[in-house]
Amino acid sequence: AAPGVALLADGFARSLDLMRDVKTSTAPIARAPSSVRSIAVELPFEPKRLRFQPFQASTRRIEVCATGGKQESRTTTVGSLEIAGSTVNWRWNRVNMDVYGEAMRESDTLLPGMVVTLLLEDGSSTYAMPPATLQRVTLQRAVPASVPLFKVPGRALALRVDESDEWNRDGSATDMVLESPAGTLRLTLDEPTGVLAILLQDPVSTELVAARRELEDRRSELSRRTGIARDIVAGEIAQLEQRVRDLQAEANASRVPLPPIPRIRGVDAAGRTFAEIKVTAK
């Protein structure tokens, strides 16, 4: 599901004065297509030192409070979400970093993953969320690649691959295989770390990569051998070099153009996209 409006994460950026206290500032984080009546927030996790108050129609804002100091005994309003016509602004209040520094660090993790629901004056609603984190990956056949992109604090992301007439798709939200006449694309998501492993294979390329690795090992071994043992390793190297040439020729002759690889996304339970990977192949 695509968001109705984009959450402008830069609006959360804060600046410090010479005393390293947070300076008062206001910046837009979302712009709706028409006037906004009310707002609500969906947090990625329950914060320890921050509390989002209920929306107040009288002030047209949601205030955010923080605790700090010894045993979290002090409380202050660190910021607020405020409606101004069709715009939702984020306001930083003056904050003492010595007292509320831990709460500010928590906000760095919390705010970029927040989803804001906007109820418009015409009765319709939309939501704003951070733009998806995008990474581009260029694959070599039979050479694994990994993308540490699926880790969003407080949100469990599942693997989603766009439909494609040129790829047959099978698998689950963590393991997926895409088949085409030009090769097989394997996607494996490690949920605890958020790392997506990607491997593009075909039989000849897989064998070619293995032969090249063995050739490198033998060349390294050659420098450590003397006498008859060195002659034996040199003979093995000659055979492997020929094997690599034969496999490369076979790969060049049999390879068919790879169709465009579908868009790969990391989505939450509501189908909202928080990560996107665009993959091409050499």
Side-chain angles (χ1 to χ4, degrees):
V5 292
L7 184 63
L8 308 175
D10 287 347
F12 293 129
R14 61 175 184 263
S15 59
L16 305 178
D17 62 17
L18 293 177
M19 299 177 66
R20 293 196 55 77
D21 291 348
V22 176
K23 296 172 63 175
T24 300
S25 61
T26 302
I29 62 165
R31 293 188 178 93
S34 61
S35 294
V36 180
R37 180 188 303 172
S38 66
I39 52 177
V41 296
E42 176 194 323
L43 303 178
F45 59 88
E46 189 66 29
K48 295 180 180 179
R49 298 177 176 85
L50 296 171
R51 182 182 177 189
F52 284 68
Q53 304 289 354
F55 174 75
Q56 296 295 319
S58 59
T59 60
R60 296 172 60 78
R61 69 176 58 174
I62 293 175
E63 293 191 339
V64 183
C65 298
T67 59
K70 292 182 179 180
Q71 298 180 340
E72 305 296 324
S73 60
R74 296 176 63 175
T75 303
T76 190
T77 301
V78 297
S80 57
L81 287 157
E82 305 174 348
I83 298 173
S86 61
T87 300
V88 178
N89 294 318
W90 172 260
R91 174 182 171 83
W92 283 114
N93 295 335
R94 179 64 180 262
V95 178
N96 186 325
M97 287 292 287
D98 289 339
V99 178
Y100 299 104
E102 289 298 322
M104 292 298 95
R105 282 183 280 275
E106 187 175 48
S107 75
D108 290 339
T109 303
L110 181 77
L111 294 177
M114 182 174 66
V115 176
V116 182
T117 299
L118 294 76
L119 176 63
L120 307 184
E121 290 291 355
D122 62 6
S124 65
S125 65
T126 186
Y127 67 92
M129 59 175 286
T133 303
L134 174 64
Q135 185 162 337
R136 301 179 186 275
V137 178
T138 301
L139 293 179
Q140 297 184 47
R141 290 174 182 259
V143 178
S146 62
V147 182
L149 198 62
F150 283 67
K151 193 70 172 178
V152 177
R155 297 193 181 277
L157 299 187
L159 184 61
R160 184 76 55 85
V161 178
D162 286 2
E163 295 283 349
S164 172
D165 293 336
E166 298 174 293
W167 293 85
N168 295 321
R169 186 178 54 179
D170 186 29
S172 66
T174 55
D175 293 278
M176 195 168 294
V177 177
L178 284 73
E179 297 276 2
S180 80
T184 299
L185 185 67
R186 300 181 182 276
L187 306 171
T188 305
L189 175 61
D190 182 65
E191 291 181 299
T193 64
V195 174
L196 180 68
I198 309 174
L199 181 62
L200 178 62
Q201 293 178 298
D202 63 67
V204 177
S205 293
T206 299
E207 191 174 352
L208 177 58
V209 168
R212 284 173 174 164
R213 287 175 178 165
E214 187 177 359
L215 178 58
E216 290 176 3
D217 290 342
R218 290 294 181 271
R219 285 172 173 168
S220 177
E221 182 182 356
L222 184 66
S223 63
R224 303 190 301 269
R225 300 298 183 184
T226 59
I228 296 177
R230 182 179 176 86
D231 293 339
I232 293 173
V233 174
E236 292 175 343
I237 288 174
Q239 293 176 352
L240 283 168
E241 287 174 339
Q242 184 60 52
R243 180 62 176 155
V244 167
R245 288 192 292 270
D246 292 344
L247 287 170
Q248 186 64 66
E250 184 180 353
N252 293 340
S254 62
R255 185 170 297 172
V256 297
L258 191 76
I261 296 172
R263 184 177 58 153
I264 301 167
R265 295 179 289 137
V267 302
D268 67 359
R272 297 173 298 207
T273 301
F274 281 83
E276 181 178 342
I277 303 170
K278 292 186 177 180
V279 180
T280 55
K282 287 185 177 180

